[in-house]
Amino acid sequence: MQDSDQPRSRLSQVAAGLRDFYSGPYRRTFARAQQDEDDLFLVIVMAEALGVPNPVSYYTVELLPVVYDQFHDWHRRMGLDRSPLDHFSCC
Amino acid sequence: MNSLVLALVGVGMILAGYFLYSKYLANRIYALDDSRTAPSEQFEDGVDYVPTNKYVLWGHHFTSVAGAAPIVGPAVAVIWGWLPAFLWVTLGTVFFAGMHDMGALWASVRNRGQSIGALSGRYIGARGRNLFLVVIFLLLLMVNAAFAVVIAGLLIATPTAVIPTWGALVVAFLIGQAIYRYKWNLPLVSVVGVVALYALIVVGDNVPLALPETVLGLPDNAFWIIVLFVYAGIASMLPVWMLLQPRDYINGLQLFIALGILYGSVLIARPEIVAPAYNQNVPDGTPGIMPLLFVTIACGAISGFHGMVSSGTSSKQLAKESDARFVGYFGAVGEGLLALGAIIATTAGFKTLADWENVYQAFNDGGVSAFVEGGGAIIEAGLGLPQSLSATIMATTAILFAATTMDTGVRLQRFVVQEIGDIAGVTLRKNLATIIAVGVGLALTFGAGADGSGGMLIWPLFGTTNQLMAALTLSIIAIMLLRRGRTPLPALIPLVFVGAVTVYALFVQLGTFYEESNWLLLIMDIVILIAALWVIVEAFAAMRTARAYDGDDDAELAQEAVDAAASTRSQD
């Protein structure tokens, strides 16, 4: 039993190593792209609260609780030390 | 002399360096200490700081530093005979490159994974930092220009490599799609990708594509150079997952395979070296071996670019300090083996001395094409592959190395241009910044020679700039050792040597460029010369201060790291 497990785990180690070798050099680039996308998503969700008319606010408002945790990081990333929204204070 | 003997002695020397000298460096000089928390763990963010398996990290490090340079340098330098090149590559790898690359990792790891640029600000002062920016800009400029010329020359000399070279882009593009869009299994895609790459080499071998002598009124060489720059500009703007990432990956795999093929063939064929050990019959116009040998072979013996990679990305991923020995020193070993392979290919891959002399008729004549021809002959004799197919494998390998470095070089130059724009208060968009990056590269390529063919003149200047970077890194290592009260000699001796040959070579080249009325290179030479003298003065002033230092550098750095970690946590 152990014998048959060992090569499999070796193979999966090789596969994991290859994955690391593939993605490692560009990890930072992808993280930045992901963050840009998340920031854009947050702007869309927060549009109504920021005073921008949003035709789909019926849907986005439901997402507010989901993005609440990320709000503080987001406004700091945007260069705002404090929350720009009076009714949405996180700090 | 049989090439197998040379290979065995060379590999033996380099491996002895790894097993003995790097151990001494790790224990006595750098005092690598696994009880310290590495920056990758202390600042782990899943982006820059990620503790990584040392074998995987070595793969990243090695493929980032190995470009066309360890092939081009030795392939040009064997014009003075195989022995000087062999000695500089082996001794350089053991005592210069290994200690430098490992030292850059150590210096950065002790300084929260900061880059050499930041460290030069800390240990040499603000002027050291400015100097670093000047050198890095020039280095990138020369990498892009020289590599474009190398690739164009190879595409013309080996028409069979045209299809695999451009076909590799299609393979990389399909791999990117397979992995990201269709979520295929990576090991399977890797195998298919490598097989496809070699299938393209076979196709290319049967269907050579040669351009007519003039295309759209341009010489074929100039046309390829322009196409390459346009391609690199476009590639640098595409999302990385589409082309650059799978391309770097598949080339990384190909690099290991090609090295295996070359050394395997030497082992089987054991060809005799036809070139003289020391060539006293050098062609007219060949510059003196001293100091040009030491700047012609830059990567493969010592390279400042390695310090940038070590301190820029590798140090942030080092899982523990003792891994620096494997990643840094063994990374240099990999590069040294590539350079040694290039020496063997260019001296043992010809049938007679007359054949060899026929290729090496003038300085810069041999170069990569001699590597392709000679390496091809060795593979033919070793593995029994047809001569043209073997040459195509070698040419494609060399081109792919140069091309991935050029892709990245143009991309990095774009960032530098954007940063300079920011400093000047102008926001440069991606497209415009790319056009500027490509523009300056083209200007340098054609500024050095009307049809772009003179771009190889930049090569020794690239070497000197690279050595200057290495001197900067070595001086930081020496200062750090002095502040710890340890002997700085392992860093100081290479520093003095590299500094001296760099300045000497710059003066020699100054005369050459003046005689040739090559004003562009003359100006660049003067800028680099001033930077070189500057770095020497600044570094020695900093070393005097470091000798008088009576604090505990490690304790200060540890406190800074703790403060930095605390402030990162409070921001979260």
Side-chain angles (χ1 to χ4, degrees):
Chain A
M1 185 70 193
Q2 232 180 356
D3 283 342
S4 65
D5 273 0
Q6 222 172 8
R8 192 177 297 166
S9 79
R10 285 233 178 90
L11 271 183
S12 62
Q13 271 177 0
V14 170
L18 278 180
R19 258 197 307 283
D20 234 4
F21 185 56
Y22 182 72
S23 62
Y26 292 94
R27 216 183 267 135
R28 184 184 194 156
T29 314
F30 287 117
R32 197 178 289 143
Q34 174 79 50
Q35 196 168 65
D36 285 349
E37 215 165 89
D38 287 351
D39 286 347
L40 180 66
F41 178 71
L42 248 155
V43 170
I44 293 168
V45 173
M46 303 297 288
E48 196 87 336
L50 291 164
V52 182
N54 182 358
V56 289
S57 62
Y58 176 77
Y59 300 99
T60 54
V61 80
E62 276 188 48
L63 295 167
L64 280 176
V66 180
V67 300
Y68 187 77
D69 284 344
Q70 302 154 27
F71 184 72
H72 177 68
D73 285 341
W74 174 74
H75 75 69
R76 285 180 65 112
R77 261 203 310 280
M78 296 296 117
L80 305 162
D81 283 341
R82 304 241 145 234
S83 162
L85 307 174
D86 297 335
H87 57 281
F88 216 89
S89 61
C90 51
C91 48
Chain B
M1 170 78 109
N2 194 287
S3 61
L4 184 63
V5 178
L6 193 68
L8 290 177
V9 173
V11 173
M13 281 169 76
I14 293 176
L15 286 183
Y18 174 68
F19 287 114
L20 303 172
Y21 188 53
S22 80
K23 198 169 183 181
Y24 163 74
L25 290 175
N27 295 338
R28 304 287 293 277
I29 302 298
Y30 298 133
L32 301 180
D33 179 3
D34 283 345
S35 65
R36 290 169 187 274
T37 318
S40 65
E41 196 183 317
Q42 192 165 14
F43 303 103
E44 185 169 357
D45 59 2
V47 181
D48 292 326
Y49 295 88
V50 182
T52 306
N53 175 300
K54 70 174 178 179
Y55 299 103
V56 172
L57 186 56
W58 177 81
H60 283 173
H61 182 80
F62 180 44
T63 49
S64 308
V65 297
I71 300 174
V72 181
V76 171
V78 290
I79 196 158
W80 292 294
W82 60 261
L83 189 61
F86 172 79
L87 288 176
W88 175 226
V89 163
T90 46
L91 296 176
T93 299
V94 171
F95 294 107
F96 289 63
M99 93 74 61
H100 166 275
D101 298 6
M102 184 177 166
L105 265 178
W106 167 75
S108 175
V109 164
R110 289 280 165 103
N111 279 281
R112 292 182 278 137
Q114 286 177 325
S115 69
I116 288 296
L119 295 190
S120 57
R122 178 191 176 100
Y123 290 105
I124 306 186
R127 280 193 298 267
R129 200 185 194 131
N130 296 342
L131 189 74
F132 177 82
L133 276 176
V134 173
V135 178
I136 182 78
F137 182 81
L138 290 174
L139 198 60
L140 281 174
L141 193 61
M142 284 188 260
V143 163
N144 294 339
F147 281 20
V149 177
V150 168
I151 302 171
L154 275 173
L155 287 175
I156 293 168
T158 329
T160 48
V162 174
I163 286 183
T165 299
W166 298 103
L169 298 183
V170 181
V171 173
F173 180 79
L174 293 177
I175 287 178
Q177 299 289 324
I179 293 169
Y180 282 99
R181 253 179 228 280
Y182 304 108
K183 315 277 179 214
W184 285 5
N185 176 292
L186 183 62
L188 180 72
V189 176
S190 313
V191 173
V192 173
V194 171
V195 171
L197 202 58
Y198 276 89
L200 276 170
I201 291 177
V202 176
V203 173
D205 186 44
N206 290 305
V207 190
L209 288 181
L211 288 181
E213 270 183 28
T214 50
V215 187
L216 306 170
L218 291 166
D220 49 359
N221 194 30
F223 178 78
W224 274 131
I225 291 173
I226 292 172
V227 169
L228 282 162
F229 266 108
V230 170
Y231 150 73
I234 295 170
S236 75
M237 285 193 294
L238 285 176
V240 286
W241 70 265
M242 245 184 222
L243 192 59
L244 292 188
Q245 186 187 28
R247 186 168 154 78
D248 283 356
Y249 172 70
I250 204 79
N251 282 341
L253 297 181
Q254 148 83 358
L255 166 61
F256 298 125
I257 296 171
L259 257 183
I261 289 180
L262 186 62
Y263 274 96
S265 302
V266 170
L267 198 66
I268 299 169
R270 287 170 288 178
E272 282 293 324
I273 296 175
V274 295
Y278 184 74
N279 190 9
Q280 287 172 319
N281 184 27
V282 288
D284 288 341
T286 306
I289 183 167
M290 183 72 202
L292 260 283
L293 169 73
F294 301 98
V295 290
T296 305
I297 305 181
C299 300
I302 182 166
S303 159
F305 185 67
H306 293 200
M308 277 171 59
V309 175
S310 289
S311 64
T313 51
S314 301
S315 63
K316 297 180 180 69
Q317 299 176 56
L318 209 67
K320 54 184 194 291
E321 273 197 10
S322 61
D323 286 357
R325 187 176 160 217
F326 186 77
V327 176
Y329 202 100
F330 207 70
V333 166
E335 185 109 324
L337 292 181
L338 187 56
L340 185 63
I343 293 175
I344 293 173
T346 49
T347 54
F350 298 91
K351 285 202 172 66
T352 61
L353 176 61
D355 284 351
W356 183 79
E357 279 178 339
N358 206 22
V359 172
Y360 282 87
Q361 277 180 359
F363 188 63
N364 273 341
D365 260 13
V368 208
S369 49
F371 170 74
V372 170
E373 203 181 315
I378 293 176
I379 294 178
E380 182 194 4
L383 302 183
L385 296 177
Q387 198 270 334
S388 74
L389 181 61
S390 313
T392 310
I393 293 177
M394 289 275 93
T396 310
T397 307
I399 291 174
L400 292 183
F401 283 143
T404 40
T405 311
M406 195 179 155
D407 288 347
T408 319
V410 171
R411 197 179 170 81
L412 290 175
Q413 192 73 313
R414 181 184 92 209
F415 295 149
V416 174
V417 169
Q418 281 178 320
E419 265 177 47
I420 293 172
D422 281 347
I423 293 169
V426 189
T427 310
L428 292 171
R429 291 172 66 97
K430 202 158 104 177
N431 303 0
L432 185 61
T434 306
I435 289 171
I436 295 173
V438 168
V440 285
L442 278 172
L444 180 63
T445 316
F446 287 94
D451 61 350
S453 60
M456 269 310 280
L457 280 176
I458 309 162
W459 189 259
L461 209 52
F462 159 76
T464 38
T465 318
N466 209 0
Q467 309 294 54
L468 183 59
M469 274 286 304
L472 198 66
T473 309
L474 285 171
S475 57
I476 289 166
I477 297 171
I479 291 167
M480 284 183 67
L481 291 173
L482 280 168
R483 285 172 79 129
R484 281 163 183 74
R486 289 181 211 146
T487 173
L489 288 180
L492 211 53
I493 295 171
L495 169 61
V496 170
F497 183 80
V498 167
V501 288
T502 304
V503 173
Y504 187 6
L506 282 167
F507 274 113
V508 171
Q509 288 169 343
L510 203 65
T512 316
F513 295 143
Y514 180 75
E515 277 168 20
E516 290 169 355
S517 306
N518 204 332
W519 307 121
L520 182 80
L521 292 183
L522 185 78
I523 293 168
M524 287 182 70
D525 194 308
I526 292 171
V527 173
I528 298 166
L529 188 60
I530 293 171
L533 293 172
W534 197 353
V535 77
I536 290 167
V537 173
E538 291 276 341
F540 280 95
M543 275 178 220
R544 281 173 66 108
T545 323
R547 274 183 70 181
Y549 176 82
D550 61 354
D552 185 343
D553 201 26
D554 270 333
E556 277 175 34
L557 294 174
Q559 188 56 45
E560 272 179 32
V562 170
D563 293 346
S567 78
T568 315
R569 271 195 294 277
S570 72
Q571 272 172 12
D572 291 346

